[in-house]
């Protein structure tokens, strides 16, 4: 009976040791602590009156900043869908900066003034950005020997302190009236065709 108890005791501590090794923190690991991706991020809604676009921002320092960048991302998709050819900046300091830039002399806000935010979703996550070893004190080592047994006897007398940053992934769903979308798309398609024809004529008569 005594031998059986010893075997069980050693097995439990060995299992605890292996489990502890398997769960050492690693730099770059992340854990979702709140929220989840919305269903409409995977399947964009469809209806007869509106077109929908999903913007996304990753690793934002706050929900508000992530929402602004995700909103801009959705508006970019809308503008591109209209047939507008334009090279956007990588990032913008604010929504106002984005809306007041001009494409072929036309302010962006005139293109997207009918767009409206339908829904916003976000998830909060904790990301390990650094790992620092921490030596245990004498009292902690004795407590570990008593509580953990085998791992402490094998010399695991230090712990790892993880430096954690909180980040947010944010999704924004916008909608745009289909009637206005077709009107704008027709206008920019005609404009593009005229520009191409002008370029062709210029080349032809050179």
């Amino acid at each position: 009976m005594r031998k059986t108890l010893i075997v069980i005791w050693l097995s439990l501590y060995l299992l605890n040791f292996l489990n502890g090794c398997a769960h050492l923190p690693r730099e770059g690991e992340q854990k979702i602590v709140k929220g989840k991706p919305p269903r409409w991020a995977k399947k964009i809604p469809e209806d007869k009156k509106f077109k929908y676009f999903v913007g996304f921002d990753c690793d934002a320092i706050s929900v508000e900043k992530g929402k602004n960048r995700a909103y801009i991302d959705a508006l970019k998709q809308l503008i591109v869908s209209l047939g507008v050819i334009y090279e956007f900046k990588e990032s913008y300091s604010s929504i106002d900066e984005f809306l007041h830039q001009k494409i072929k002399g036309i302010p962006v806000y005139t293109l997207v003034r009918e767009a409206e935010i339908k829904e916003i979703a976000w998830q909060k996550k904790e990301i390990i950005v650094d790992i620092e070893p921490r030596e245990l004190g004498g009292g902690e080592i004795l407590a570990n020997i008593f509580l953990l047994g085998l791992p402490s006897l094998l010399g695991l007398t230090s712990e790892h302190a993880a430096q954690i940053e909180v980040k947010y992934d944010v999704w924004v769903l916008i909608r745009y009236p289909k009637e206005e979308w077709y009107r704008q798309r027709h206008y920019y398609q005609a404009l593009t065709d005229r520009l191409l024809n002008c370029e062709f004529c210029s080349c032809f008569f050179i």
Side-chain angles (χ1 to χ4, degrees):
M1 180 67 178
R2 186 176 180 182
K3 289 183 179 180
T4 302
L5 290 175
I6 292 175
V7 170
I8 294 174
W9 181 83
L10 289 174
S11 300
L12 289 174
Y13 282 129
L14 179 60
L15 181 63
N16 185 61
F17 168 69
L18 294 174
N19 185 62
C21 292
H23 289 85
L24 287 176
R26 293 181 178 85
E27 189 173 336
E29 280 187 359
Q30 56 182 266
K31 177 177 67 173
I32 306 300
V33 295
K34 188 176 182 180
K36 61 181 180 180
R39 286 180 297 178
W40 43 262
K42 296 180 179 179
K43 185 177 181 181
I44 299 176
E46 295 181 5
D47 64 42
K48 295 180 179 180
K49 292 184 177 181
F50 296 96
K51 280 190 169 291
Y52 292 86
F53 303 88
V54 176
F56 175 68
D57 185 57
C58 179
D59 294 343
I61 62 174
S62 69
V63 174
E64 185 65 23
K65 287 186 179 294
K67 184 194 77 172
N68 291 342
R69 286 199 289 262
Y71 181 42
I72 289 174
D73 181 45
L75 293 178
K76 285 180 181 178
Q77 295 177 46
L78 165 59
I79 293 170
V80 170
S81 76
L82 295 173
V84 178
I85 301 173
Y86 184 72
E87 187 173 344
F88 294 101
K89 290 169 55 177
E90 184 70 23
S91 63
Y92 295 85
S93 60
S94 66
I95 293 177
D96 282 343
E97 181 192 359
F98 175 79
L99 293 176
H100 284 85
Q101 67 183 319
K102 293 184 178 181
I103 300 177
K104 301 184 187 304
I106 302 174
V108 166
Y109 64 81
T110 64
L111 299 175
V112 300
R113 60 189 168 199
E114 299 292 332
E116 61 177 331
I117 295 177
K118 178 64 175 174
E119 288 187 49
I120 299 170
W122 54 271
Q123 66 180 14
K124 177 182 178 181
K125 57 189 181 183
E126 295 177 346
I127 303 175
I128 298 176
V129 295
D130 194 18
I131 304 293
E132 295 180 357
R134 182 178 74 85
E135 292 297 323
L136 299 179
E140 291 176 303
I141 293 175
L142 290 175
N144 275 359
I145 291 175
F146 176 75
L147 294 173
L148 301 178
L150 185 59
S152 295
L153 292 174
L154 290 175
L156 298 182
T157 58
S158 64
E159 290 183 346
H160 293 81
Q163 182 180 345
I164 293 174
E165 284 188 357
V166 174
K167 300 286 186 178
Y168 298 87
D169 294 336
V170 186
W171 295 263
V172 170
L173 176 68
I174 68 170
R175 67 181 188 180
Y176 192 81
K178 281 188 175 180
E179 184 177 345
E180 178 67 11
W181 184 87
Y182 284 116
R183 188 184 71 81
Q184 292 278 17
R185 183 170 173 80
H186 177 75
Y187 170 79
Y188 278 99
Q189 186 61 56
L191 180 61
T192 301
D193 291 342
R194 286 200 301 270
L195 291 174
L196 289 175
N197 288 335
C198 287
E199 290 179 4
F200 173 77
C201 292
S202 298
C203 294
F204 184 79
F205 287 108
I206 289 176

